[in-house]
Amino acid sequence: MLLVGLRGEAEWTPEVSLRVQAVSGVLPSPDGALVVYAQTRHVVEAERSESVSQVWLAGAYGSSRRQLTFGEKSATAPSFGPDSKSVYFVSARGGGPNIWRMPVDGGEARPLLQWKGKIGHYAVSPDGKWVAFAGVLEDMDAARRAREKRDFRVVDANPRNHALWVAPLSGDAAAPRQITGNGRHVATFHWAPDSRRIAFEHWPAPGADEWVRSDLAEVEVGPAAVRDLVKTAGPESTPFYSPDGKYLAFVQTPEKARWPGVARVAVMDRGTGAVRLLATSEDERPLLLGWGGETLYFGEMRRTRSALYAVGLEGAPKLVYEPKRGTFFAGYNPNANLNATGT
C-alpha cells in the first residue's frame, strides 16, 4: 500500500518516486479498533541520503491517523500488546537494535532489552508477560575491526545463525535468555496460546537458498527444552498454533523443494503428532496468515493478482477477497497480517 500526494503530476519521474511514502507492517489490534503500520519517507539532503520509517496509528476504519514515533532513527515492525493498549516496535534509537514499547495514547517509548546484537522476528506472548525474538549477539571482533577502520568483509561469508531468546516484560529493560542453540537459524515462530511453548521454523544457516531445508521444532520456554515437530525431505515453514492449541498449521512442500515450488497447507494434531495435508489451493503456493477461529487464512497469486483465501480442516479453499483494481500483498510478510484474535 502506498501513500501518494501526486496530484497534478503528468508523468512518473525519479523525483516523483522519492515523494512516495510506502506503508508496511500493517496490523490490526486484537480488539479490532486500531491499526498500526510503518510509513517510510526518503531523506535526500547534502549530507544525508536514506529512507526513514516511523510508526503510525489509525482507527480501523481510517479515522484519527497520527504518527507515534519520531526522530532520525527508523522504527519498524510494529505490533500490539494482547490488551491493545501498547504498541511495540524495533528501533536503533538507543544506539543499537532493541524492541521498544509505548502506550497507544502516546508518551515515552521504553526499551525492553539489555541487548547488543541483531534482532529478527519478534512477538509478545499471549499473556503479555514475555517477548520472544530471533537474534544473534554482537560480533565483538567485527565491532573492533569497524572501530579500527578494518571492516572490509566478504558478503555472505560465515553467516551467524539467529537463536531464539525470551525476556520478561515485568518492568525495566531485561537481559534476554537464550532458549535454542546456535546450531540452527530461527526464521519465523509462533507462541502457543498458553504462552508456555513456541513453535519455530529453522534453517541450517541464514543463506538465501537455505529455506529449501527448513523444518519445524518446538521449545518449552521454562526449561528451554527443544523437540523436533516436523522434519521431512521437503521444507516446512510459518507455523501457527490454533486458538485452542490442539493443532499446528504450517506450509509444507510434500517433495524436495525446487524454486518454482508446489506447497500445501498442512495441519498437525498436537495430541497424536499426525500430519495431514489440507485441500490443494489453486496456485499451490499458499502464504499462510494464521487462524481465524477454526478457519485458516492464506494469500496466493490468482492469475496476475494476489488474493485472500480461507480453508477449513475439511473442504476446498474459498476465495475471500480479490481487489477489482490494482493488487495487494497477502502472506507471511510485512504487508498482510491477521490480528492476534484472528478477527
Side-chain angles (χ1 to χ4, degrees), residues 18-84:
L18 289 175
R19 289 163 47 193
V20 175
Q21 297 191 25
V23 171
S24 62
V26 181
L27 181 67
S29 59
D31 63 10
L34 299 170
V35 174
V36 70
Y37 57 93
Q39 184 170 318
T40 302
R41 65 182 180 91
H42 305 290
V43 179
V44 182
E45 301 171 351
E47 300 296 328
R48 187 183 178 204
S49 180
E50 60 182 304
S51 296
V52 178
S53 300
Q54 299 296 345
V55 175
W56 288 67
L57 190 73
Y61 295 96
S63 62
S64 306
R65 186 172 69 92
R66 59 189 174 90
Q67 187 172 344
L68 277 185
T69 64
F70 299 84
E72 293 188 354
K73 296 293 185 180
S74 287
T76 60
S79 66
F80 286 98
D83 60 2
S84 301

Side-chain angles (χ1 to χ4, degrees), residues 63-211:
S63 62
S64 306
R65 186 172 69 92
R66 59 189 174 90
Q67 187 172 344
L68 277 185
T69 64
F70 299 84
E72 293 188 354
K73 296 293 185 180
S74 287
T76 60
S79 66
F80 286 98
D83 60 2
S84 301
K85 295 181 179 179
S86 298
V87 167
Y88 298 78
F89 59 90
V90 176
S91 179
R93 57 173 54 190
N98 207 321
I99 303 170
W100 297 72
R101 175 174 57 190
M102 69 183 303
V104 296
D105 295 331
E108 183 181 358
R110 297 183 180 276
L112 302 182
L113 309 174
Q114 297 175 17
W115 174 259
K116 288 186 177 181
K118 296 181 179 180
I119 294 176
H121 178 57
Y122 80 93
V124 177
S125 61
D127 63 9
K129 296 180 179 180
W130 299 89
V131 62
F133 66 96
V136 59
L137 287 168
E138 180 181 33
D139 186 332
M140 302 305 294
D141 289 338
R144 184 180 67 254
R145 291 195 300 270
R147 291 193 299 269
E148 297 172 353
K149 307 300 182 183
R150 298 186 298 109
D151 54 345
F152 64 87
R153 64 189 179 92
V154 178
V155 176
D156 289 339
N158 302 315
R160 301 170 67 213
N161 288 341
H162 283 201
L164 196 58
W165 303 70
V166 293
L169 298 178
S170 55
D172 295 333
R177 175 170 59 94
Q178 186 173 345
I179 59 173
T180 66
N182 298 319
R184 44 184 145 194
H185 175 71
V186 176
T188 64
F189 63 84
H190 193 244
W191 280 94
D194 61 8
S195 300
R196 296 172 56 190
R197 297 175 176 83
I198 298 173
F200 62 96
E201 169 192 348
H202 61 88
W203 305 359
D209 293 333
E210 297 292 343
W211 70 270

